[in-house]
């Protein structure tokens, strides 16, 4: 577990960005394309913890970036090279550009200063998107990651950020996946090898000066 002093050193407001991953209505909202994941996100407290992190970041002057996955109605430019992508095309709720499904989910509050990065392809919120360029232009050194899912997008984001040279902190109780027991396993045995995994309370404590 990272000490308070280590977290303070790593999470300075001027050099840290909070990245929320696919915390959108069509994924974790009440009308989700993935109801099992949405239920897990809500009943575990994960979504509430993401909202708390965002609020704390806003209060501390930490830049927030929301990574959203979406697709055109005609599917142009989207991947079809994996079972996951083909299955998504058949779901009753689709993450279509301009629809409610691709809005950042309540109770997360998006401020005017937040950046929303939308991607039409791939698995990663980072690779092939604007995220890296934005982080560098912001003077970012460390990234706090929260969101869904522990199965695919969150590990992708963490590994890509580490490969790009950023320090990464993962809010372990602000991440969800299915089945529930898999989340702890992937955080401990994969993500935890390259990033610090801490609790929302610890991160908010740093940003709130407690």
């Amino acid at each position: 577990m990272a000490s308070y002093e280590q977290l303070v050193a790593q999470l300075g407001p001027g050099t840290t960005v909070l990245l929320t991953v696919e915390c959108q209505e069509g994924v974790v909202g009440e009308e989700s394309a993935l109801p099992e994941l949405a239920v897990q996100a809500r009943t575990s407290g994960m979504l509430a913890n993401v909202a708390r992190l965002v609020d704390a970041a806003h209060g501390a002057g930490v830049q927030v970036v929301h990574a959203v996955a979406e697709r055109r109605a005609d599917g142009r430019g989207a991947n079809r090279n994996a079972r996951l992508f083909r299955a998504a095309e058949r779901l009753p709720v689709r993450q279509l550009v301009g629809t409610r499904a691709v809005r950042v989910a309540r109770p997360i509050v998006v401020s005017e200063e937040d950046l929303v990065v939308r991607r039409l392809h791939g698995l990663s919120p980072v690779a092939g998107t604007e995220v890296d360029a934005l982080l560098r232009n912001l003077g970012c050194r460390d990234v706090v990651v929260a969101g869904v899912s522990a199965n695919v997008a969150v590990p992708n984001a963490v590994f890509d950020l580490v490969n790009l040279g950023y320090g990464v902190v993962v809010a372990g109780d602000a991440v969800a996946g299915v089945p529930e027991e898999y989340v702890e396993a992937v955080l401990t045995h994969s993500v935890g090898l390259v990033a610090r995994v801490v609790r929302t309370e610890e991160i908010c404590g740093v940003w709130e000066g407690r």
Side-chain angles (χ1 to χ4, degrees):
M1 179 180 294
S3 71
Y4 178 78
E5 291 75 18
Q6 289 174 319
L7 284 176
V8 169
Q10 188 168 12
L11 300 182
T15 57
T16 303
V17 166
L18 170 62
L19 177 67
T20 75
V21 178
E22 297 182 19
C23 293
Q24 56 202 76
E25 291 287 354
V27 177
V28 296
E30 294 179 358
E31 298 178 2
S32 170
L34 305 165
E36 185 180 1
L37 177 61
V39 169
Q40 179 62 24
R42 291 176 174 277
T43 59
S44 69
M46 166 260 155
L47 193 57
N49 284 335
V50 175
R52 186 177 177 197
L53 285 167
V54 170
D55 289 345
H58 290 160
V62 173
Q63 179 67 54
V64 179
V65 177
H66 304 281
V68 172
E70 60 183 25
R71 62 186 293 125
R72 290 167 51 111
D74 61 9
R76 193 176 298 271
N79 293 66
R80 293 183 176 83
N81 58 332
R83 289 172 55 203
L84 178 64
F85 301 126
R86 295 191 293 273
E89 294 178 344
R90 300 191 296 270
L91 292 173
V93 177
R94 300 173 67 199
Q95 315 302 315
L96 298 181
V97 175
T99 66
R100 176 188 175 93
V102 297
R103 296 177 191 169
V104 176
R106 296 172 295 178
I108 298 168
V109 175
V110 180
S111 78
E112 291 184 0
E113 292 77 20
D114 292 0
L115 298 172
V116 179
V117 177
R118 301 179 181 277
R119 76 178 194 276
L120 290 170
H121 65 89
L123 296 170
S124 176
V126 178
T129 74
E130 294 182 289
V131 168
D132 180 39
L134 293 175
L135 295 181
R136 295 189 188 283
N137 290 344
L138 290 164
C140 176
R141 185 186 65 202
D142 296 284
V143 183
V144 175
V145 176
V148 294
S149 72
N151 303 79
V152 178
V154 169
N156 260 264
V158 172
F159 296 140
D160 287 342
L161 289 166
V162 171
N163 284 330
L164 289 166
Y166 298 99
V168 181
V169 174
V170 176
D173 56 352
V175 170
V178 291
E180 182 179 2
E181 57 270 20
Y182 176 74
V183 179
E184 186 62 33
V186 76
L187 291 177
T188 300
H189 300 295
S190 294
V191 170
L193 299 179
V194 298
R196 285 182 176 170
V197 180
V198 300
R199 296 182 60 80
T200 295
E201 177 67 24
E202 297 175 82
I203 298 168
C204 291
V206 171
W207 289 340
E208 294 168 357
R210 292 185 279 107

